[in-house]
Amino acid sequence: MNTLRLSVGAGVGLSLLAGALTLTSPTVTAAHETVPRVPESWTVADRLLVTDSKTGDVVVIDDRKVRERLSTPKSPISLAASEDGKLAFAFRGRNTDRDHVTMIDTAYDQTTGKAARPYVARTWIANGSGGVHDGRLPEIGGKIGIALESAGKLQLIDPASVSGLGSIDAGTISLGTPGHYSFTEATSASGAELLHVGNVIGTSMVLDAATGAVLSRGTGSCPALHGSVLTSDSTRVLFACANGLRVVPADPGTGGEQAFVSYADGTRDGALHRGAGAIVWGSNEGALNFLHRIDTTTAVPTVTKVALSRHGHKRTAVAVDFSADRSRLYVLTHQGYLQLRDGGTGAFIREVKVMKKMSTKTEETTEFAVLPDIAVGNTVVYVSGPKQGRVAVVRTDVRKVIKQLKIGGAPTRMVLLEH
């Protein structure tokens, strides 16, 4: 009887337990369910990238609203965008032993205005990296060049591979002696790509971009060479020297002669810019109250001065930029004014106050960027203000400051991508 009762009790208990398990067991579902993908894209007229010298961030601004802050190593010294606007490159200053080059996928299509979230694609530790001029790097044969100034080489990268896992190494071109370089691209009569390379030590040469072969070299003294430009008719390249301008044929195969033009006032140019028509403009970071106007229509270019001061009020240039058609010249002054001038004659049109006055003694080293910058768009001009932590948005006719974008930190270098 005891055994039987135990068996029956056990059976009943098991039955009840099984029933309890059946009644309370939850429905089993997949651990990772598929969810619908939501497209993350929008359309903007312009995307502005700004380096923050205080934090190292690259601030991304869509149609005057901060979209992202991309973290990069501190102390940015320069910023560049690829010609198609799909990539940006933030170069770290040389205040440490690690020269980072941060490559950013801008996630922006300049042909359609379609935008998505930008991101850091990869970071490379280079050696004395540089080569940025006016927000651009040299591009030859579909490759983008980064100067390795300590090694005397131009590192070519494949832009199509930057955002993937593959190698981006597309070879190197020897630049000869290590130094600080200025690059200008040209085309030969046969259609071959040429690269003009100027070195701060005073040398210059023309390279076959495909092979790296030296086709010609500059002659004559050219101390402290810094800055170069292709003339509007694509026949000559000008290099800025401490004592004048070295003028060389864009295509050495044409047999043209080299020339040298002294500065009439003895003041050197540190950068050269294409203006309207055949006019080239020369500027210097040394707080000068004039720009050099260089007329390249003559066999030997002529250099004259265009004063920046207004009605006895001092104006000294800290940055210059141009409208896309080069017809309008914008000059930012240490006194905090943005001037609008004719891109051909330099004639003054108007000016507007965009920031507080800054010291004319402020100079940049290779540590990090400290000076403000200008980025000219189709409808507005952006002006970075490192001391104010702001970016001013100004109408292109310079009649009004539309707004001040408060982004904090110390905004300096800028590149503008625009539909």
Side-chain angles (χ1 to χ4, degrees), residues 77-256:
I77 188 70
S78 53
L79 182 68
S82 60
E83 187 175 345
D84 62 10
K86 293 182 179 180
L87 294 174
F89 301 80
F91 289 72
R92 190 184 190 191
R94 301 178 189 179
N95 57 343
T96 73
D97 61 349
R98 299 170 73 83
D99 297 343
H100 296 81
V101 180
T102 300
M103 305 177 194
I104 297 169
D105 189 314
T106 66
Y108 186 70
D109 188 333
Q110 293 190 123
T111 60
T112 64
K114 291 292 184 182
R117 294 201 176 277
Y119 58 92
V120 173
R122 65 175 74 198
T123 296
W124 170 45
I125 299 179
N127 182 15
S129 54
V132 179
H133 296 281
D134 291 330
R136 291 288 184 268
L137 290 164
E139 297 191 30
I140 51 179
K143 312 304 179 184
I144 299 175
I146 295 175
L148 304 181
E149 298 185 335
S150 298
K153 295 181 180 179
L154 183 68
Q155 174 67 54
L156 300 178
I157 68 169
D158 178 5
S161 300
V162 168
S163 295
L165 294 177
S167 172
I168 62 173
D169 183 358
T172 60
I173 294 177
S174 175
L175 301 177
T177 307
H180 181 55
Y181 307 102
S182 299
F183 299 103
T184 295
E185 300 145 66
T187 306
S188 72
S190 64
E193 289 184 285
L194 307 175
L195 183 65
H196 287 251
V197 182
N199 192 322
V200 71
I201 64 174
T203 61
S204 65
M205 56 185 177
V206 186
L207 304 178
D208 182 311
T211 65
V214 178
L215 304 180
S216 69
R217 297 183 184 274
T219 59
S221 175
C222 185
L225 186 157
H226 196 282
S228 59
V229 70
L230 180 70
T231 57
S232 60
D233 60 5
S234 300
T235 62
R236 291 173 290 178
V237 173
L238 278 58
F239 291 96
C241 313
N243 53 349
L245 303 173
R246 174 183 285 170
V247 187
V248 303
D251 179 4
T254 61

Side-chain angles (χ1 to χ4, degrees), residues 4 43 64 66 77 129-130 194 206 214 252 271 281 289 300 317 394 400:
L4 180 59
T43 301
R64 308 167 206 171
V66 174
I77 188 70
S129 54
L194 307 175
V206 186
V214 178
W281 291 95
N289 61 359
V300 177
V394 188
K400 182 181 179 181

